Amino acid sequence: MQLKCKRQSKSFANISVALAAATCALVAPAMAELSTLELSTPELSSPEASDFDSWDVDLGLLIYAESDDQVQAYEGALSITKQIDDERSVNVKGVIDVLTGASPNGAVAQNRAQTFTRPSGNGAYTTAAGETPLDDTFKDTRVALSTQYQQQINRLWLYSGGANVSKEYDYLALSINSALARDFNNRNSTASFGVAYAYDTIEPEGGIPNPGVSVDDIDNRLEDSETKQTLDLLLGLTQVINRQTLMQFNYSISDVSGYQTDPFKILSVVDSDGWVNDYVYENRPDQRIKQSLFWRSKYNLQPSGQVLDVSYRYFWDDWGMASHTIDSKWRMPLANSHFIEPHIRYYNQQAVDFYQVYLDEGQPIPEYMTADYRLGELQTYTIGLKYGLPIAGNEFSVRLEYYLTEVSGDESLAKGAGMSGVDLYPDKSAVMLQSFYRF
C-alpha cells in the first residue's frame, strides 16, 4: 500500500473523517492498552460506476493469550461495506469476543494461602502461598454490532455518522458518533470535528458492592445495576506536507460521569507484620475528564514504495494519570504484491492519585482507592511483525506480536513476615496473533 499525496485527491478528507469518527467512538480508558481487532475503515475514493453494485468484505480473527494461564481471548470480526454511489457508502461490522482464564483481583500476594469469596457471593476460590491472587471466574462472551455511514456533501465537505451496541453477560454499551471534515488550502489541508456519546449499563451478578465494605459481607450491596455516560469531542487537522508526507494532529476531550468502579476489584487490609486480615471493595470517583494530544506522520519512501508510519500520543486526566505512547510501523513491499510490516510500540503510564497496593489496618478507609495495576505506574512494550500476500486476487495478512507489561512501585511496601520476598508488582506478558482477509 503506497501513500498517495495527490493535491486533488478526496482521500485525505476521508482519512480524517474516518479517524475522527473512530477516535470519538472509542470510550477508551487509558489503561486499556491492549487493542482489540480492528478492521480497516473504507475510503470514498471515487469508485467507478461498476463498483456501486459491489461489496467489500473484511474478515478478522484475534487470538490473545497471557502468560501463567491468565486471560485468554478469541475474537472474530466481520466488516461489510457497500459503496452506494460516488458520494455515499455504508459499513456494518459485527464482533464476537470469548474471554476465559483468570484476572488479578487486586489483593496482594501472601506467604500463606488465601481464600476469597467469589464476586457473586456464591462460593469461594483459593490462591496458593506466594502467588498473585487471581479471580478464576473471569469468563465472558461479548457480541457487538456497529454501523457507519459516510457522505460527500459537496466538493469540500464530508460527513460520517454511526452507532454501536455491545452486550456481554453483565455489561451493555450503547453509543453514537458523528463527524464532519472540510478541505481547504487547495485541498492540501483537512479540518475535522467529531462527537460521540455512550451510555453503559453495569449489572454484575450479586449486585453493586458497597465500596470499602468487607468482601465477606455479601449482603451489603447497593443496587442491582449502575450506569455510566461518556461524551467525547475531537478536533483534528490532516495536512499534506509534500508528495511523500502526510501528517495528522488531533486533540480530544472526554467527560465521563457515573459508575466507574470495577465491582470485581478489591484491596487487602494489612497489619504491621504484613499479614492480610480483611479485604474490601475498591471505589473510584464518578466523574472523570480525560484529554489527549495526538500526532501521526506517514512518509512514503519513493521509489521503493515503503511507508513509515509513526505516531505519538500524550494523555492526561483529573485522576492524576498521565501517559505517553510512541507507535511505529514500517511497511515494506516485497515481490509479487507481498509485504512485511514490523511494529514497535512503547507506552508509559503514571498512576492515578488514589492508587495504593494495599490498605494499612487501623487506618481510616479512604474515599477513593484502587489496587488495580491497570491504574498504577506501568510501562508496556509491543513488538511484532505483519506479513501480507495476495490470495485469489484478494489481500490476506497475519500479524504476530509479543506484549510485555512492567508494573512499577515501591518494593519496600512488602513488609513483615506476611510479604517477605513477595513480588507486589508482577510483570505480565502476552502473545497476540491476528489474521485478516479482504475480498
Side-chain angles (χ1 to χ4, degrees), residues 207-215 217 220-223 226 259-263 265-267 279-285 359 365-370:
I208 301 293
N210 196 351
V213 170
S214 174
V215 172
D217 189 358
N220 200 335
R221 300 294 172 113
L222 297 177
E223 305 287 345
E226 287 282 1
Y259 188 75
Q260 300 179 61
T261 298
D262 189 325
K265 299 301 182 185
I266 62 177
L267 291 90
Y279 310 95
V280 300
Y281 287 106
E282 71 158 41
N283 190 33
R284 306 178 190 179
L359 302 176
I365 299 293
E367 180 181 9
Y368 302 120
M369 54 188 171
T370 184

PDB file of all heavy atoms in Angstrom, residues 207-215 217 220-223 226 259-263 265-267 279-285 359 365-370:
ATOM      1  N   GLY A 207     -25.119  -7.954  42.361  1.00  0.00           N
ATOM      2  CA  GLY A 207     -25.358  -6.541  42.614  1.00  0.00           C
ATOM      3  C   GLY A 207     -24.086  -5.720  42.731  1.00  0.00           C
ATOM      4  O   GLY A 207     -22.972  -6.239  42.688  1.00  0.00           O
ATOM      5  N   ILE A 208     -24.258  -4.408  42.902  1.00  0.00           N
ATOM      6  CA  ILE A 208     -23.139  -3.473  43.047  1.00  0.00           C
ATOM      7  C   ILE A 208     -22.641  -3.507  44.491  1.00  0.00           C
ATOM      8  O   ILE A 208     -23.398  -3.222  45.425  1.00  0.00           O
ATOM      9  CB  ILE A 208     -23.569  -2.042  42.684  1.00  0.00           C
ATOM     10  CG1 ILE A 208     -24.092  -1.982  41.242  1.00  0.00           C
ATOM     11  CG2 ILE A 208     -22.427  -1.069  42.900  1.00  0.00           C
ATOM     12  CD1 ILE A 208     -23.057  -2.245  40.186  1.00  0.00           C
ATOM     13  N   PRO A 209     -21.370  -3.873  44.723  1.00  0.00           N
ATOM     14  CA  PRO A 209     -20.863  -3.927  46.104  1.00  0.00           C
ATOM     15  C   PRO A 209     -20.717  -2.552  46.720  1.00  0.00           C
ATOM     16  O   PRO A 209     -20.492  -1.557  46.025  1.00  0.00           O
ATOM     17  CB  PRO A 209     -19.511  -4.619  45.948  1.00  0.00           C
ATOM     18  CG  PRO A 209     -19.094  -4.339  44.549  1.00  0.00           C
ATOM     19  CD  PRO A 209     -20.351  -4.283  43.740  1.00  0.00           C
ATOM     20  N   ASN A 210     -20.822  -2.481  48.033  1.00  0.00           N
ATOM     21  CA  ASN A 210     -20.654  -1.240  48.777  1.00  0.00           C
ATOM     22  C   ASN A 210     -19.160  -0.963  48.936  1.00  0.00           C
ATOM     23  O   ASN A 210     -18.443  -1.756  49.544  1.00  0.00           O
ATOM     24  CB  ASN A 210     -21.321  -1.360  50.150  1.00  0.00           C
ATOM     25  CG  ASN A 210     -21.516  -0.016  50.821  1.00  0.00           C
ATOM     26  OD1 ASN A 210     -21.018   0.999  50.353  1.00  0.00           O
ATOM     27  ND2 ASN A 210     -22.234  -0.013  51.916  1.00  0.00           N
ATOM     28  N   PRO A 211     -18.624   0.156  48.390  1.00  0.00           N
ATOM     29  CA  PRO A 211     -17.190   0.438  48.467  1.00  0.00           C
ATOM     30  C   PRO A 211     -16.701   0.498  49.911  1.00  0.00           C
ATOM     31  O   PRO A 211     -17.370   1.039  50.793  1.00  0.00           O
ATOM     32  CB  PRO A 211     -17.052   1.801  47.795  1.00  0.00           C
ATOM     33  CG  PRO A 211     -18.255   1.922  46.924  1.00  0.00           C
ATOM     34  CD  PRO A 211     -19.344   1.198  47.641  1.00  0.00           C
ATOM     35  N   GLY A 212     -15.516  -0.054  50.146  1.00  0.00           N
ATOM     36  CA  GLY A 212     -14.910  -0.019  51.466  1.00  0.00           C
ATOM     37  C   GLY A 212     -15.459  -1.030  52.441  1.00  0.00           C
ATOM     38  O   GLY A 212     -14.981  -1.121  53.576  1.00  0.00           O
ATOM     39  N   VAL A 213     -16.440  -1.817  52.021  1.00  0.00           N
ATOM     40  CA  VAL A 213     -17.050  -2.825  52.889  1.00  0.00           C
ATOM     41  C   VAL A 213     -16.336  -4.153  52.679  1.00  0.00           C
ATOM     42  O   VAL A 213     -15.871  -4.477  51.589  1.00  0.00           O
ATOM     43  CB  VAL A 213     -18.558  -2.955  52.590  1.00  0.00           C
ATOM     44  CG1 VAL A 213     -19.165  -4.161  53.287  1.00  0.00           C
ATOM     45  CG2 VAL A 213     -19.279  -1.685  53.012  1.00  0.00           C
ATOM     46  N   SER A 214     -16.239  -4.952  53.726  1.00  0.00           N
ATOM     47  CA  SER A 214     -15.577  -6.239  53.651  1.00  0.00           C
ATOM     48  C   SER A 214     -16.210  -7.127  52.591  1.00  0.00           C
ATOM     49  O   SER A 214     -17.429  -7.181  52.419  1.00  0.00           O
ATOM     50  CB  SER A 214     -15.643  -6.935  55.010  1.00  0.00           C
ATOM     51  OG  SER A 214     -15.115  -8.254  54.923  1.00  0.00           O
ATOM     52  N   VAL A 215     -15.362  -7.831  51.848  1.00  0.00           N
ATOM     53  CA  VAL A 215     -15.830  -8.741  50.812  1.00  0.00           C
ATOM     54  C   VAL A 215     -16.716  -9.829  51.396  1.00  0.00           C
ATOM     55  O   VAL A 215     -17.636 -10.321  50.734  1.00  0.00           O
ATOM     56  CB  VAL A 215     -14.620  -9.350  50.078  1.00  0.00           C
ATOM     57  CG1 VAL A 215     -15.052 -10.452  49.124  1.00  0.00           C
ATOM     58  CG2 VAL A 215     -13.857  -8.262  49.330  1.00  0.00           C
ATOM     59  N   ASP A 217     -18.921  -9.535  53.590  1.00  0.00           N
ATOM     60  CA  ASP A 217     -20.267  -9.037  53.887  1.00  0.00           C
ATOM     61  C   ASP A 217     -21.069  -9.026  52.593  1.00  0.00           C
ATOM     62  O   ASP A 217     -21.315  -7.992  51.993  1.00  0.00           O
ATOM     63  CB  ASP A 217     -20.178  -7.629  54.484  1.00  0.00           C
ATOM     64  CG  ASP A 217     -21.520  -7.139  55.020  1.00  0.00           C
ATOM     65  OD1 ASP A 217     -22.514  -7.889  54.895  1.00  0.00           O
ATOM     66  OD2 ASP A 217     -21.570  -6.018  55.546  1.00  0.00           O
ATOM     67  N   ASN A 220     -24.218  -6.717  51.985  1.00  0.00           N
ATOM     68  CA  ASN A 220     -24.110  -5.259  51.969  1.00  0.00           C
ATOM     69  C   ASN A 220     -23.880  -4.781  50.535  1.00  0.00           C
ATOM     70  O   ASN A 220     -22.776  -4.433  50.142  1.00  0.00           O
ATOM     71  CB  ASN A 220     -22.969  -4.808  52.882  1.00  0.00           C
ATOM     72  CG  ASN A 220     -23.112  -3.354  53.293  1.00  0.00           C
ATOM     73  OD1 ASN A 220     -23.733  -2.564  52.601  1.00  0.00           O
ATOM     74  ND2 ASN A 220     -22.532  -3.020  54.434  1.00  0.00           N
ATOM     75  N   ARG A 221     -24.925  -4.797  49.744  1.00  0.00           N
ATOM     76  CA  ARG A 221     -24.856  -4.355  48.356  1.00  0.00           C
ATOM     77  C   ARG A 221     -25.709  -3.107  48.180  1.00  0.00           C
ATOM     78  O   ARG A 221     -26.652  -2.866  48.943  1.00  0.00           O
ATOM     79  CB  ARG A 221     -25.333  -5.460  47.410  1.00  0.00           C
ATOM     80  CG  ARG A 221     -24.502  -6.760  47.499  1.00  0.00           C
ATOM     81  CD  ARG A 221     -23.090  -6.540  47.012  1.00  0.00           C
ATOM     82  NE  ARG A 221     -22.222  -7.677  47.247  1.00  0.00           N
ATOM     83  CZ  ARG A 221     -21.701  -8.432  46.277  1.00  0.00           C
ATOM     84  NH1 ARG A 221     -21.998  -8.176  45.020  1.00  0.00           N
ATOM     85  NH2 ARG A 221     -20.893  -9.426  46.571  1.00  0.00           N
ATOM     86  N   LEU A 222     -25.403  -2.304  47.150  1.00  0.00           N
ATOM     87  CA  LEU A 222     -26.104  -1.044  46.933  1.00  0.00           C
ATOM     88  C   LEU A 222     -27.308  -1.225  46.013  1.00  0.00           C
ATOM     89  O   LEU A 222     -28.444  -1.213  46.438  1.00  0.00           O
ATOM     90  CB  LEU A 222     -25.140  -0.008  46.350  1.00  0.00           C
ATOM     91  CG  LEU A 222     -23.951   0.375  47.246  1.00  0.00           C
ATOM     92  CD1 LEU A 222     -23.033   1.354  46.524  1.00  0.00           C
ATOM     93  CD2 LEU A 222     -24.433   0.976  48.559  1.00  0.00           C
ATOM     94  N   GLU A 223     -27.057  -1.396  44.735  1.00  0.00           N
ATOM     95  CA  GLU A 223     -28.119  -1.533  43.746  1.00  0.00           C
ATOM     96  C   GLU A 223     -27.847  -2.771  42.901  1.00  0.00           C
ATOM     97  O   GLU A 223     -26.772  -3.369  42.951  1.00  0.00           O
ATOM     98  CB  GLU A 223     -28.182  -0.289  42.843  1.00  0.00           C
ATOM     99  CG  GLU A 223     -28.322   1.022  43.582  1.00  0.00           C
ATOM    100  CD  GLU A 223     -29.715   1.219  44.157  1.00  0.00           C
ATOM    101  OE1 GLU A 223     -30.629   0.485  43.738  1.00  0.00           O
ATOM    102  OE2 GLU A 223     -29.876   2.109  45.011  1.00  0.00           O
ATOM    103  N   GLU A 226     -25.779  -0.139  37.789  1.00  0.00           N
ATOM    104  CA  GLU A 226     -25.376   1.251  37.724  1.00  0.00           C
ATOM    105  C   GLU A 226     -25.189   1.632  36.257  1.00  0.00           C
ATOM    106  O   GLU A 226     -25.099   0.765  35.377  1.00  0.00           O
ATOM    107  CB  GLU A 226     -24.074   1.494  38.493  1.00  0.00           C
ATOM    108  CG  GLU A 226     -24.213   1.458  40.007  1.00  0.00           C
ATOM    109  CD  GLU A 226     -24.805   2.750  40.563  1.00  0.00           C
ATOM    110  OE1 GLU A 226     -25.117   3.656  39.755  1.00  0.00           O
ATOM    111  OE2 GLU A 226     -24.944   2.845  41.794  1.00  0.00           O
ATOM    112  N   TYR A 259     -20.918   5.440  37.153  1.00  0.00           N
ATOM    113  CA  TYR A 259     -20.219   4.359  37.850  1.00  0.00           C
ATOM    114  C   TYR A 259     -18.969   3.938  37.076  1.00  0.00           C
ATOM    115  O   TYR A 259     -19.052   3.409  35.973  1.00  0.00           O
ATOM    116  CB  TYR A 259     -21.160   3.174  38.013  1.00  0.00           C
ATOM    117  CG  TYR A 259     -20.605   2.064  38.880  1.00  0.00           C
ATOM    118  CD1 TYR A 259     -20.548   2.206  40.257  1.00  0.00           C
ATOM    119  CD2 TYR A 259     -20.161   0.874  38.316  1.00  0.00           C
ATOM    120  CE1 TYR A 259     -20.055   1.189  41.062  1.00  0.00           C
ATOM    121  CE2 TYR A 259     -19.671  -0.152  39.108  1.00  0.00           C
ATOM    122  CZ  TYR A 259     -19.612   0.005  40.478  1.00  0.00           C
ATOM    123  OH  TYR A 259     -19.125  -1.007  41.277  1.00  0.00           O
ATOM    124  N   GLN A 260     -17.789   4.166  37.670  1.00  0.00           N
ATOM    125  CA  GLN A 260     -16.523   3.817  37.026  1.00  0.00           C
ATOM    126  C   GLN A 260     -15.679   2.872  37.871  1.00  0.00           C
ATOM    127  O   GLN A 260     -14.541   2.552  37.521  1.00  0.00           O
ATOM    128  CB  GLN A 260     -15.740   5.098  36.711  1.00  0.00           C
ATOM    129  CG  GLN A 260     -16.507   6.023  35.775  1.00  0.00           C
ATOM    130  CD  GLN A 260     -15.776   7.306  35.475  1.00  0.00           C
ATOM    131  OE1 GLN A 260     -14.686   7.309  34.926  1.00  0.00           O
ATOM    132  NE2 GLN A 260     -16.391   8.431  35.840  1.00  0.00           N
ATOM    133  N   THR A 261     -16.227   2.410  38.971  1.00  0.00           N
ATOM    134  CA  THR A 261     -15.565   1.433  39.826  1.00  0.00           C
ATOM    135  C   THR A 261     -15.670   0.053  39.192  1.00  0.00           C
ATOM    136  O   THR A 261     -16.670  -0.269  38.560  1.00  0.00           O
ATOM    137  CB  THR A 261     -16.214   1.435  41.217  1.00  0.00           C
ATOM    138  OG1 THR A 261     -16.031   2.720  41.809  1.00  0.00           O
ATOM    139  CG2 THR A 261     -15.618   0.379  42.120  1.00  0.00           C
ATOM    140  N   ASP A 262     -14.643  -0.759  39.356  1.00  0.00           N
ATOM    141  CA  ASP A 262     -14.711  -2.150  38.919  1.00  0.00           C
ATOM    142  C   ASP A 262     -15.297  -2.968  40.067  1.00  0.00           C
ATOM    143  O   ASP A 262     -14.658  -3.107  41.120  1.00  0.00           O
ATOM    144  CB  ASP A 262     -13.318  -2.663  38.562  1.00  0.00           C
ATOM    145  CG  ASP A 262     -13.355  -4.030  37.888  1.00  0.00           C
ATOM    146  OD1 ASP A 262     -14.225  -4.846  38.245  1.00  0.00           O
ATOM    147  OD2 ASP A 262     -12.513  -4.284  37.008  1.00  0.00           O
ATOM    148  N   PRO A 263     -16.501  -3.533  39.911  1.00  0.00           N
ATOM    149  CA  PRO A 263     -17.150  -4.230  41.026  1.00  0.00           C
ATOM    150  C   PRO A 263     -16.463  -5.530  41.424  1.00  0.00           C
ATOM    151  O   PRO A 263     -16.817  -6.128  42.447  1.00  0.00           O
ATOM    152  CB  PRO A 263     -18.561  -4.499  40.492  1.00  0.00           C
ATOM    153  CG  PRO A 263     -18.401  -4.543  39.005  1.00  0.00           C
ATOM    154  CD  PRO A 263     -17.328  -3.534  38.696  1.00  0.00           C
ATOM    155  N   LYS A 265     -12.970  -5.748  41.746  1.00  0.00           N
ATOM    156  CA  LYS A 265     -11.641  -5.465  42.282  1.00  0.00           C
ATOM    157  C   LYS A 265     -11.702  -5.142  43.777  1.00  0.00           C
ATOM    158  O   LYS A 265     -12.616  -4.450  44.234  1.00  0.00           O
ATOM    159  CB  LYS A 265     -10.993  -4.299  41.535  1.00  0.00           C
ATOM    160  CG  LYS A 265     -10.790  -4.555  40.040  1.00  0.00           C
ATOM    161  CD  LYS A 265      -9.923  -5.770  39.775  1.00  0.00           C
ATOM    162  CE  LYS A 265      -9.697  -5.955  38.283  1.00  0.00           C
ATOM    163  NZ  LYS A 265      -8.954  -7.194  37.968  1.00  0.00           N
ATOM    164  N   ILE A 266     -10.709  -5.629  44.516  1.00  0.00           N
ATOM    165  CA  ILE A 266     -10.662  -5.454  45.962  1.00  0.00           C
ATOM    166  C   ILE A 266      -9.281  -4.960  46.382  1.00  0.00           C
ATOM    167  O   ILE A 266      -8.341  -4.913  45.580  1.00  0.00           O
ATOM    168  CB  ILE A 266     -10.987  -6.780  46.688  1.00  0.00           C
ATOM    169  CG1 ILE A 266      -9.937  -7.852  46.328  1.00  0.00           C
ATOM    170  CG2 ILE A 266     -12.390  -7.267  46.318  1.00  0.00           C
ATOM    171  CD1 ILE A 266     -10.128  -9.172  47.062  1.00  0.00           C
ATOM    172  N   LEU A 267      -9.156  -4.587  47.660  1.00  0.00           N
ATOM    173  CA  LEU A 267      -7.871  -4.232  48.261  1.00  0.00           C
ATOM    174  C   LEU A 267      -7.684  -5.047  49.530  1.00  0.00           C
ATOM    175  O   LEU A 267      -8.644  -5.332  50.258  1.00  0.00           O
ATOM    176  CB  LEU A 267      -7.790  -2.746  48.619  1.00  0.00           C
ATOM    177  CG  LEU A 267      -7.734  -1.737  47.481  1.00  0.00           C
ATOM    178  CD1 LEU A 267      -9.140  -1.313  47.094  1.00  0.00           C
ATOM    179  CD2 LEU A 267      -6.899  -0.514  47.885  1.00  0.00           C
ATOM    180  N   TYR A 279     -10.395  -7.995  53.370  1.00  0.00           N
ATOM    181  CA  TYR A 279     -10.409  -7.486  52.002  1.00  0.00           C
ATOM    182  C   TYR A 279     -11.637  -6.594  51.851  1.00  0.00           C
ATOM    183  O   TYR A 279     -12.723  -6.947  52.313  1.00  0.00           O
ATOM    184  CB  TYR A 279     -10.490  -8.626  50.979  1.00  0.00           C
ATOM    185  CG  TYR A 279      -9.484  -9.719  51.196  1.00  0.00           C
ATOM    186  CD1 TYR A 279      -9.835 -10.858  51.921  1.00  0.00           C
ATOM    187  CD2 TYR A 279      -8.193  -9.640  50.682  1.00  0.00           C
ATOM    188  CE1 TYR A 279      -8.923 -11.881  52.132  1.00  0.00           C
ATOM    189  CE2 TYR A 279      -7.275 -10.654  50.892  1.00  0.00           C
ATOM    190  CZ  TYR A 279      -7.650 -11.781  51.619  1.00  0.00           C
ATOM    191  OH  TYR A 279      -6.743 -12.792  51.837  1.00  0.00           O
ATOM    192  N   VAL A 280     -11.453  -5.430  51.196  1.00  0.00           N
ATOM    193  CA  VAL A 280     -12.573  -4.509  50.996  1.00  0.00           C
ATOM    194  C   VAL A 280     -12.689  -4.165  49.519  1.00  0.00           C
ATOM    195  O   VAL A 280     -11.713  -4.262  48.761  1.00  0.00           O
ATOM    196  CB  VAL A 280     -12.408  -3.219  51.825  1.00  0.00           C
ATOM    197  CG1 VAL A 280     -12.344  -3.527  53.315  1.00  0.00           C
ATOM    198  CG2 VAL A 280     -11.161  -2.448  51.397  1.00  0.00           C
ATOM    199  N   TYR A 281     -13.889  -3.767  49.114  1.00  0.00           N
ATOM    200  CA  TYR A 281     -14.114  -3.390  47.719  1.00  0.00           C
ATOM    201  C   TYR A 281     -13.535  -2.010  47.431  1.00  0.00           C
ATOM    202  O   TYR A 281     -13.551  -1.118  48.273  1.00  0.00           O
ATOM    203  CB  TYR A 281     -15.610  -3.392  47.414  1.00  0.00           C
ATOM    204  CG  TYR A 281     -16.196  -4.775  47.319  1.00  0.00           C
ATOM    205  CD1 TYR A 281     -17.002  -5.282  48.334  1.00  0.00           C
ATOM    206  CD2 TYR A 281     -15.943  -5.582  46.216  1.00  0.00           C
ATOM    207  CE1 TYR A 281     -17.551  -6.563  48.248  1.00  0.00           C
ATOM    208  CE2 TYR A 281     -16.482  -6.857  46.119  1.00  0.00           C
ATOM    209  CZ  TYR A 281     -17.284  -7.338  47.137  1.00  0.00           C
ATOM    210  OH  TYR A 281     -17.812  -8.609  47.050  1.00  0.00           O
ATOM    211  N   GLU A 282     -13.017  -1.846  46.219  1.00  0.00           N
ATOM    212  CA  GLU A 282     -12.433  -0.578  45.797  1.00  0.00           C
ATOM    213  C   GLU A 282     -13.523   0.465  45.532  1.00  0.00           C
ATOM    214  O   GLU A 282     -14.713   0.154  45.485  1.00  0.00           O
ATOM    215  CB  GLU A 282     -11.604  -0.773  44.525  1.00  0.00           C
ATOM    216  CG  GLU A 282     -12.435  -1.057  43.283  1.00  0.00           C
ATOM    217  CD  GLU A 282     -11.703  -0.739  41.980  1.00  0.00           C
ATOM    218  OE1 GLU A 282     -10.496  -1.035  41.867  1.00  0.00           O
ATOM    219  OE2 GLU A 282     -12.361  -0.187  41.076  1.00  0.00           O
ATOM    220  N   ASN A 283     -13.083   1.719  45.299  1.00  0.00           N
ATOM    221  CA  ASN A 283     -14.002   2.800  44.946  1.00  0.00           C
ATOM    222  C   ASN A 283     -13.258   3.827  44.106  1.00  0.00           C
ATOM    223  O   ASN A 283     -12.157   4.239  44.458  1.00  0.00           O
ATOM    224  CB  ASN A 283     -14.580   3.469  46.196  1.00  0.00           C
ATOM    225  CG  ASN A 283     -15.711   4.423  45.864  1.00  0.00           C
ATOM    226  OD1 ASN A 283     -16.459   4.200  44.917  1.00  0.00           O
ATOM    227  ND2 ASN A 283     -15.848   5.491  46.632  1.00  0.00           N
ATOM    228  N   ARG A 284     -13.874   4.234  42.986  1.00  0.00           N
ATOM    229  CA  ARG A 284     -13.300   5.242  42.105  1.00  0.00           C
ATOM    230  C   ARG A 284     -14.270   6.410  41.979  1.00  0.00           C
ATOM    231  O   ARG A 284     -15.480   6.229  42.145  1.00  0.00           O
ATOM    232  CB  ARG A 284     -13.018   4.644  40.714  1.00  0.00           C
ATOM    233  CG  ARG A 284     -12.153   3.397  40.754  1.00  0.00           C
ATOM    234  CD  ARG A 284     -11.927   2.803  39.373  1.00  0.00           C
ATOM    235  NE  ARG A 284     -11.298   1.490  39.445  1.00  0.00           N
ATOM    236  CZ  ARG A 284     -10.988   0.727  38.396  1.00  0.00           C
ATOM    237  NH1 ARG A 284     -11.255   1.186  37.166  1.00  0.00           N
ATOM    238  NH2 ARG A 284     -10.436  -0.462  38.560  1.00  0.00           N
ATOM    239  N   PRO A 285     -13.770   7.609  41.672  1.00  0.00           N
ATOM    240  CA  PRO A 285     -14.670   8.761  41.505  1.00  0.00           C
ATOM    241  C   PRO A 285     -15.682   8.510  40.396  1.00  0.00           C
ATOM    242  O   PRO A 285     -15.423   7.750  39.455  1.00  0.00           O
ATOM    243  CB  PRO A 285     -13.707   9.896  41.135  1.00  0.00           C
ATOM    244  CG  PRO A 285     -12.371   9.467  41.649  1.00  0.00           C
ATOM    245  CD  PRO A 285     -12.346   7.980  41.512  1.00  0.00           C
ATOM    246  N   LEU A 359      -4.163  -1.462  51.902  1.00  0.00           N
ATOM    247  CA  LEU A 359      -4.555  -0.549  52.971  1.00  0.00           C
ATOM    248  C   LEU A 359      -3.934  -1.008  54.280  1.00  0.00           C
ATOM    249  O   LEU A 359      -3.812  -2.212  54.531  1.00  0.00           O
ATOM    250  CB  LEU A 359      -6.080  -0.517  53.114  1.00  0.00           C
ATOM    251  CG  LEU A 359      -6.887  -0.107  51.880  1.00  0.00           C
ATOM    252  CD1 LEU A 359      -8.384  -0.220  52.182  1.00  0.00           C
ATOM    253  CD2 LEU A 359      -6.537   1.308  51.444  1.00  0.00           C
ATOM    254  N   ILE A 365     -10.585   4.137  56.183  1.00  0.00           N
ATOM    255  CA  ILE A 365     -10.748   3.747  54.788  1.00  0.00           C
ATOM    256  C   ILE A 365     -10.868   5.011  53.937  1.00  0.00           C
ATOM    257  O   ILE A 365     -11.724   5.857  54.199  1.00  0.00           O
ATOM    258  CB  ILE A 365     -11.999   2.868  54.603  1.00  0.00           C
ATOM    259  CG1 ILE A 365     -11.884   1.589  55.434  1.00  0.00           C
ATOM    260  CG2 ILE A 365     -12.220   2.539  53.133  1.00  0.00           C
ATOM    261  CD1 ILE A 365     -10.804   0.653  54.983  1.00  0.00           C
ATOM    262  N   PRO A 366     -10.008   5.206  52.927  1.00  0.00           N
ATOM    263  CA  PRO A 366     -10.081   6.424  52.107  1.00  0.00           C
ATOM    264  C   PRO A 366     -11.343   6.442  51.258  1.00  0.00           C
ATOM    265  O   PRO A 366     -11.964   5.413  50.996  1.00  0.00           O
ATOM    266  CB  PRO A 366      -8.822   6.339  51.237  1.00  0.00           C
ATOM    267  CG  PRO A 366      -8.467   4.890  51.205  1.00  0.00           C
ATOM    268  CD  PRO A 366      -8.900   4.323  52.524  1.00  0.00           C
ATOM    269  N   GLU A 367     -11.715   7.653  50.816  1.00  0.00           N
ATOM    270  CA  GLU A 367     -12.913   7.770  49.990  1.00  0.00           C
ATOM    271  C   GLU A 367     -12.734   7.059  48.659  1.00  0.00           C
ATOM    272  O   GLU A 367     -13.625   6.334  48.205  1.00  0.00           O
ATOM    273  CB  GLU A 367     -13.234   9.244  49.752  1.00  0.00           C
ATOM    274  CG  GLU A 367     -14.482   9.466  48.897  1.00  0.00           C
ATOM    275  CD  GLU A 367     -14.783  10.925  48.654  1.00  0.00           C
ATOM    276  OE1 GLU A 367     -13.934  11.779  48.993  1.00  0.00           O
ATOM    277  OE2 GLU A 367     -15.877  11.224  48.122  1.00  0.00           O
ATOM    278  N   TYR A 368     -11.565   7.267  48.023  1.00  0.00           N
ATOM    279  CA  TYR A 368     -11.283   6.634  46.749  1.00  0.00           C
ATOM    280  C   TYR A 368     -10.030   5.781  46.880  1.00  0.00           C
ATOM    281  O   TYR A 368      -9.035   6.214  47.483  1.00  0.00           O
ATOM    282  CB  TYR A 368     -11.102   7.674  45.645  1.00  0.00           C
ATOM    283  CG  TYR A 368     -12.302   8.567  45.468  1.00  0.00           C
ATOM    284  CD1 TYR A 368     -12.199   9.958  45.636  1.00  0.00           C
ATOM    285  CD2 TYR A 368     -13.550   8.030  45.149  1.00  0.00           C
ATOM    286  CE1 TYR A 368     -13.309  10.773  45.472  1.00  0.00           C
ATOM    287  CE2 TYR A 368     -14.657   8.846  44.997  1.00  0.00           C
ATOM    288  CZ  TYR A 368     -14.538  10.205  45.160  1.00  0.00           C
ATOM    289  OH  TYR A 368     -15.641  11.013  45.010  1.00  0.00           O
ATOM    290  N   MET A 369     -10.061   4.599  46.276  1.00  0.00           N
ATOM    291  CA  MET A 369      -8.927   3.677  46.415  1.00  0.00           C
ATOM    292  C   MET A 369      -9.052   2.582  45.366  1.00  0.00           C
ATOM    293  O   MET A 369     -10.145   2.151  45.010  1.00  0.00           O
ATOM    294  CB  MET A 369      -8.940   3.047  47.802  1.00  0.00           C
ATOM    295  CG  MET A 369     -10.263   2.391  48.125  1.00  0.00           C
ATOM    296  SD  MET A 369     -10.415   1.832  49.814  1.00  0.00           S
ATOM    297  CE  MET A 369     -12.176   1.395  49.842  1.00  0.00           C
ATOM    298  N   THR A 370      -7.905   2.149  44.852  1.00  0.00           N
ATOM    299  CA  THR A 370      -7.849   1.013  43.955  1.00  0.00           C
ATOM    300  C   THR A 370      -6.465   0.406  43.989  1.00  0.00           C
ATOM    301  O   THR A 370      -5.470   1.122  44.171  1.00  0.00           O
ATOM    302  CB  THR A 370      -8.200   1.404  42.508  1.00  0.00           C
ATOM    303  OG1 THR A 370      -8.223   0.226  41.686  1.00  0.00           O
ATOM    304  CG2 THR A 370      -7.181   2.374  41.931  1.00  0.00           C
TER     305      THR A 370
END
